[in-house]
Amino acid sequence: MAICSVMLTLGAADNPVDHVVNHPFWTVNGWWVWSSHIGNLVLTGTIMLLFFPRWAARIGARPASDGNARFIPADTGSHLFEVFCVYLRDTIARPVLREKTDRFMPFLWTVFFFILINNLLGLMPILEFFGLVLGFAAPAMAQAHRSPFGATATGNIWVTGALALMAGSVFIINSLRTLGVGGFLKHMTGGAPPYMWPLLVPIELVSTFLIKVGALAIRLFANMTAGHVLIATLYMFVSMSIRALPVWGSAPISIVAVVATIAIYFLELFVAVLQAFIFMFLTTIFIGQLSSHGHDDAHAHDHHAAGAGRPAGAHA
């Protein structure tokens, strides 16, 4: 009976946020040494280190005797990995970064897959699984949601903030490296006349150092938190109806809640991929925006216009 109570508490707590927020597992003098989100971050890094180098090594490693089939990875993991990498590089990043694409792709790929895996791990009932295991030995820990792994690390503003700071460091340092300090400050003026600089430069500096970084952090955090809170709330309805109503009253509520949860889970799978893509895409856009002058774009436009005026078949 005690175990059933623990399972019910884990599956549908009265506070749905308990399934989303970070929970300490190991503390020393009040300091969190290990928590469920730290466990998921470590698990994500371990998955990437174990599988990604092996998949990458198998791409293009087949002998020439296989004919055209040698260009297709032999195993499903490598094939899927290649599809994601090539699409992100050639379709998303290259039109924005152009000749700088290959320099930034290792970072952009890492950001995308790190966020994606964390988002997907957050959809798995890892927290509840460890809670059930701990429920046999330590029911109090299970009821407090103390688990070495589980929940969604990207639903933690500190995690998304750290990711956004790393992304911000990349596009700001690259801008300073590419344009120089003078070019960077000139970029902040947006080509406006000097009497507008006292107004534009502070706005652009705040936009670059705070708004862009903050948007990356808050967008990922809010989207990953909202869906999980909704799912936990539906499970909360099941728990409350079972405790407060007879079977004939709680059964319809439970069925509706479970069906709705399944539908939302499919939506959450889409959101997990979408938010990883958006974070990587916005980082790419910011890198491109802060690494070129307005006159560079004008020069490219003039060059394209000049090329369009050539007769068909003419070459430079």
Side-chain angles (χ1 to χ4, degrees), residues 12-13 230-243 245 250 253-254 257:
L230 178 58
I231 290 173
T233 302
L234 291 173
Y235 280 130
M236 181 188 70
F237 291 156
V238 176
S239 174
M240 295 176 66
S241 65
I242 290 175
R243 290 199 300 262
L245 300 173
S250 63
I253 297 175
S254 300

Side-chain angles (χ1 to χ4, degrees), residues 228-304:
H228 296 324
V229 170
L230 178 58
I231 290 173
T233 302
L234 291 173
Y235 280 130
M236 181 188 70
F237 291 156
V238 176
S239 174
M240 295 176 66
S241 65
I242 290 175
R243 290 199 300 262
L245 300 173
V247 175
W248 58 266
S250 63
I253 297 175
S254 300
I255 292 172
V256 171
V258 169
V259 171
T261 300
I262 293 173
I264 293 172
Y265 250 95
F266 281 103
L267 178 62
E268 282 289 279
L269 283 171
F270 171 72
V271 171
V273 179
L274 179 64
Q275 291 306 313
F277 171 80
I278 289 176
F279 194 102
M280 177 259 185
F281 178 67
L282 289 178
T283 302
T284 305
I285 293 293
F286 295 154
I287 292 172
Q289 284 180 339
L290 292 173
S291 62
S292 62
H293 287 299
H295 63 75
D296 293 334
D297 296 333
H299 175 73
H301 175 74
D302 293 341
H303 179 74
H304 175 74

Side-chain angles (χ1 to χ4, degrees), residues 168-188:
S169 299
V170 168
F171 57 71
I172 291 171
I173 292 174
N174 174 70
S175 178
L176 291 170
R177 180 169 173 256
T178 303
L179 305 177
V181 176
F184 179 81
L185 293 176
K186 183 179 179 181
H187 186 84
M188 294 295 102

Side-chain angles (χ1 to χ4, degrees), residues 29-175:
N29 297 326
W31 292 88
W32 291 21
V33 179
W34 191 274
S35 68
S36 56
H37 285 178
I38 292 175
N40 268 23
L41 293 173
V42 172
L43 182 58
T44 298
T46 303
I47 291 172
M48 294 177 70
L49 290 174
L50 286 178
F51 291 98
F52 285 14
R54 184 172 62 181
W55 287 343
R58 291 179 179 176
I59 296 175
R62 300 177 67 177
S65 59
D66 288 345
N68 291 334
R70 70 182 184 275
F71 298 110
I72 303 175
D75 61 288
T76 304
S78 297
H79 198 176
L80 185 62
F81 182 64
E82 182 185 29
V83 168
F84 269 101
C85 289
V86 171
Y87 175 78
L88 293 174
R89 183 192 63 192
D90 294 345
T91 306
I92 305 303
R94 198 175 297 282
V96 177
L97 302 178
R98 291 174 288 186
E99 70 278 359
K100 305 183 188 76
T101 302
D102 292 339
R103 186 201 310 171
F104 291 102
M105 281 318 301
F107 172 74
L108 295 173
W109 279 329
T110 302
V111 166
F112 172 80
F113 284 111
F114 186 81
I115 294 174
L116 176 62
I117 295 173
N118 266 297
N119 292 349
L120 295 177
L121 287 176
L123 294 174
M124 300 179 183
I126 301 175
L127 185 69
E128 286 73 16
F129 171 77
F130 277 98
L132 290 177
V133 174
L134 291 171
F136 289 94
M141 290 185 66
Q143 298 221 5
H145 296 273
R146 298 174 75 95
S147 169
F149 302 96
T152 308
T154 44
N156 187 329
I157 190 61
W158 294 101
V159 173
T160 61
L163 290 170
L165 284 175
M166 285 189 285
S169 299
V170 168
F171 57 71
I172 291 171
I173 292 174
N174 174 70
S175 178

